Amino acid sequence: MESKKEIYVGLLGLGTVGTGVVKSLLANESHITHQTGYRVRVKAALVQTFEKERRVAVNPSFMTKDPSVILRDPEIDIVVEVMGGVEPALSYIRQALLLRKHVVTANKELLAKHGEELMRIAKEMGVRLLYEASVAGGIPIVRTLQAYLTANRVSSIRGILNGTSNYILTQMQLEHVTFTEALLEAQQLGYAEADPTSDVEGYDAAYKLLILANMAFPVRAEMAFVRRIGISKISPIDFEYATRLNCTIKLIGEASYDGECVHLEVTPKLLSRTDALATVNDVFNAVTISADVVGELTFIGRGAGEMPTASAVIEDIAEILRSPKPPLVRQQEIGMDGWIKGNAIKQGMYYVRMQFSHLCQDQVLGVDGKTRFESVASAVEIGSGEGGLTRVFLVAGADLEQIVHIAECLQVKFYVILPYEGEFVLPEHSEFFTLPAV
Ligand code: NAP
Ligand code: HSE
């Protein structure tokens, strides 16, 4: 075999993703060498503790608690940040870039909050900052937007962008487990963030949506631009209602741009079973890009976990080996006005489950027997339970703010509001949907 050049990589983190990177580089070493012309060697990994059992056999001297062992090593050309969180990851990446090392990161929170600064430093230093693994795990969505849609103007991105929440929702629907049980499984499988609040409250999906929107549209949006609702209030009973409505529940991220206005939202939705995303289950993610020349492109793949994420990291390393110079990137901004207009809340159909702390029949039904919702929209009650303490409605023709306003006026203990996507005709006979007490 002809002798190959060696390239040294330093890992910041040896958890789920870092372990996957070490395992995959070892398992496919000769194939990667054949594909890239380089022997890719991980020289050291930064960790917090030496006491933890590792899921890959490594020499103890391979691990370090001192970041400068990696950042200051002149032999290391590529730093892979898979430690997560904002600090100290941000300082380490900054340092690596300023020392003219290429950086690969899987850290969506960091990119969503500080991506602009880091990309500017990378450009100034003439090195690459790549982040394929930060969005949708193994799906090559970042590179597609960066390099494959030059001839296109993208108008929307829609998809399932968080593996943990999709796993939880799937388990709740198909295996009838509770939210807490499903979350625990997702954590054991290595899908969840160190703090799973980010997954279940929609922050993680929002970071990813923002990263995609900032690449796809001439926009420099921020987290505050993303309307975000999580899945933590959804319970098995919501799936019972969804099933009776021939729907399922998915956490959907949606970004759209019409040439003037941008709209960004992450919210659990009631999806018709005929929707292509309704059958994307477990840890799978799916992303549909709509663009003017190519039309619709849909990608489906594992959105989290050791190996799919490692695949994306290694593809970034290979991309650096192929093209070590940063490409020219266009960027223009649309102003706040465009976002505010784009984010106007649309009227639609909503599933609303409310739980009251005491019986308040009159408040909900109103004096004339109509629901309070009917002051703003058409509504039908589709179920109740707990002696009337839980009430479920379908409301059509209202917007989210109006429904939230009503729920808050009624001083409910708890409510779940799920927008419905697609064509839906409000049933005339509410009895048809009435369930036994929940
Ligand atoms: P993880 O399993 O919690 O691993 C984090 C690793 O970083 C651990 O090895 C930890 O050391 C090390 N670390 C954390 N903070 C450190 C610090 N201050 N100093 C030194 N070492 C530190 O996390 P992960 O699931 O691999 O995720 C890593 C990153 O990839 C995150 O940004 C995450 O959002 C992203 N990501 C994850 C997935 C996934 O499926 N898990 C998918 C895509 C992207 P110890 O081992 O000693 O504790
Ligand atoms: N916690 C993330 C998820 C990891 O579940 O999607 C992949 O980014």
Side-chain angles (χ1 to χ4, degrees), residues 13-18 46-49 52 54 82-85 88 106-108 133 190-193 304-305 309:
L14 189 60
T16 303
V17 184
L46 179 73
V47 294
Q48 291 183 106
T49 170
K52 223 185 230 180
R54 301 288 157 185
V82 282
M83 54 193 281
N107 192 332
K108 43 275 156 107
Y191 300 157
E193 296 302 304
T309 316

Side-chain angles (χ1 to χ4, degrees), residues 108 133-134 161-164 191-193 199 204 208 285 303-304:
K108 43 275 156 107
S134 69
L161 295 170
N162 182 264
T164 300
Y191 300 157
E193 296 302 304
D199 296 295
D204 180 83
K208 292 166 178 169
N285 282 191

Side-chain angles (χ1 to χ4, degrees), residues 78 277 296 374 377:
I78 302 176
L277 295 184
E296 276 196 0
E374 290 191 289

Side-chain angles (χ1 to χ4, degrees), residues 193-229:
E193 296 302 304
D195 177 359
T197 311
S198 185
D199 296 295
V200 301
E201 295 303 345
Y203 291 100
D204 180 83
Y207 298 142
K208 292 166 178 169
L209 189 71
L210 197 61
I211 292 169
L212 296 181
N214 278 338
M215 282 191 298
F217 310 142
V219 56
R220 186 63 79 198
E222 296 161 19
M223 270 301 277
F225 286 28
V226 188
R227 177 178 296 128
R228 175 199 50 77
I229 301 175

Side-chain angles (χ1 to χ4, degrees), residues 360-431:
C360 50
Q361 185 95 343
D362 289 351
Q363 274 189 318
V364 183
L365 295 179
V367 283
D368 56 358
K370 291 189 167 192
T371 70
R372 185 64 72 91
F373 294 117
E374 290 191 289
S375 58
V376 294
S378 314
V380 60
E381 186 169 2
I382 62 166
S384 71
E386 299 172 294
L389 288 180
T390 293
R391 315 290 291 261
V392 185
F393 301 91
L394 291 178
V395 182
D399 66 42
L400 190 60
E401 267 176 3
Q402 288 171 315
I403 298 173
V404 170
H405 179 70
I406 290 174
E408 277 166 10
C409 287
L410 291 171
Q411 295 181 335
V412 293
K413 197 165 117 190
F414 179 90
Y415 58 83
V416 171
I417 302 175
L418 299 174
Y420 177 86
E421 280 219 348
E423 293 292 310
F424 192 89
V425 181
L426 210 59
E428 282 181 20
H429 304 292
S430 60
E431 290 78 10

